Amino acid sequence: MKKDLTGGQVLAASLEALGTKRVFCVAGESYLAFLDAVLDIPKIEVITCRHESGAGFMAESYGKMTGLPGICFVTRGPGICNASIAIHTAQQDSTPLIVFMGQVQRHEKGREAFQEVSVEQIFGSVAKWATEIEDPASIPEIARQAFEISMSGRPGPVVIALPEDMLREETEIAIGALNANIQKQAADRDDIKKVVEATSSAQSPMMIVGGAGWSKEGIDALQVFAEKADLPVATALRRSDLFNGNHSCYIGEFNFATNPALIERIKEADLVIALGTRLGEITTQGYSILYVTKPKQKLIHIYGEKEE
């Protein structure tokens, strides 16, 4: 049954329907309508922080720990700018994160109203998706899209602006079930067989593991594979938790001060398996090893998005 709800109520109900258990925020006047509404939803715990940077990093950490989008609310201008480092970190670390920003009223947009910022212009190159909600009736669909984009393929941040008057505006709507359709890729058996065969035939293979979305079962299975294949394993930047550092197969971490012996080891390898990790600046030591566009050794890159 449809009933009149404010945009703030629609947003709170949409987040509940999508399974949100916790949000991190620094209260701001531009999204008070949401804060009023979420008080009526006991399933969602609201954690008030002292600074938007802290709120952003708490939400980013939540996304890392759970594999679900960390949810953060900040106000416009300085609020979203303070949270921008966490958004950038989520992009670089492939962490699911959704940041909602209170925005100036719709009729004030484009007139340099007090603390007005354009999320599309500022975060279009940092987030996976940056958008603004103009109509409260579209909130459920945009919220569902945000969850899908944040978690599909390579996870990452989404930034959504919420005009103050839009959150206060009433709309006749019924909030039903909202199911995010998460797109995940998996290697087929033939591809897996090729990896096993290449590993068996290589004289000096090694593996680099990294990326987001690992489960305990996946980490355990990786260790079993490394043991059976007697495969040296290195971890990518900030991913040392993916492999036991005391294990006989572990050979180090690619970092800002990588052990020179590890760099020589990768140069000498005749097969490098990059599992779950981007081949970014740190992993390739300033793009000076692996030579991704024209590898000098056999390179197998296993990743959730072919664009990488």
Side-chain angles (χ1 to χ4, degrees), residues 114-133:
F114 181 62
Q115 296 183 341
E116 178 186 359
V117 296
S118 168
V119 291
E120 296 97 333
Q121 290 180 331
I122 293 178
F123 295 102
S125 63
V126 178
K128 288 187 73 177
W129 186 35
T131 191
E132 186 160 319
I133 301 178

Side-chain angles (χ1 to χ4, degrees), residues 119-263:
V119 291
E120 296 97 333
Q121 290 180 331
I122 293 178
F123 295 102
S125 63
V126 178
K128 288 187 73 177
W129 186 35
T131 191
E132 186 160 319
I133 301 178
E134 298 287 345
D135 181 1
S138 68
I139 289 174
E141 175 60 20
I142 292 176
R144 183 188 62 79
Q145 278 185 272
F147 272 68
E148 290 181 356
I149 292 171
S150 182
M151 289 191 287
S152 293
R154 176 190 174 190
V158 169
V159 184
I160 300 176
L162 307 168
E164 184 177 348
D165 59 323
M166 184 278 297
L167 289 177
R168 294 195 302 263
E169 182 179 315
E170 291 188 348
T171 184
E172 189 180 23
I173 194 170
I175 309 296
L178 293 175
N179 298 309
N181 181 23
I182 310 305
Q183 301 295 321
K184 295 292 184 182
Q185 297 183 4
D188 60 37
R189 286 188 173 273
D190 287 340
D191 287 337
I192 294 172
K193 185 178 179 181
K194 289 176 184 177
V195 173
V196 174
E197 290 174 348
T199 304
S200 301
S201 61
Q203 297 299 310
S204 182
M206 67 168 291
M207 177 183 281
I208 306 171
V209 298
W214 285 82
S215 64
K216 183 180 184 303
E217 292 76 16
I219 293 172
D220 291 343
L222 167 64
Q223 183 168 308
V224 171
F225 174 69
E227 289 171 354
K228 290 185 175 181
D230 193 23
L231 184 65
V233 177
T235 52
L237 176 68
R238 291 201 289 262
R239 303 299 181 186
S240 58
D241 58 328
L242 296 182
F243 207 84
N244 183 354
N246 294 319
H247 196 280
S248 59
C249 290
Y250 183 70
I251 58 173
E253 178 186 16
F254 284 98
N255 211 320
F256 292 99
T258 301
N259 189 326
L262 177 56
I263 296 175

Side-chain angles (χ1 to χ4, degrees), residues 60 64 67 69 87-97 125-129 145-158 182-185 210-213 237-239 276-281 283 287 301-308:
E60 199 271 343
K64 271 193 173 81
I87 296 168
H88 185 263
T89 300
Q91 176 71 7
Q92 294 253 306
D93 274 15
S94 304
T95 303
L97 173 70
S125 63
V126 178
K128 288 187 73 177
W129 186 35
Q145 278 185 272
F147 272 68
E148 290 181 356
I149 292 171
S150 182
M151 289 191 287
S152 293
R154 176 190 174 190
V158 169
I182 310 305
Q183 301 295 321
K184 295 292 184 182
Q185 297 183 4
L237 176 68
R238 291 201 289 262
R239 303 299 181 186
T277 183
R278 292 181 63 244
L279 297 176
E281 176 197 356
T283 305
Y287 310 101
H301 193 194
I302 305 168
Y303 199 78
E305 280 191 357
K306 63 182 181 180
E307 290 80 8
E308 285 294 331

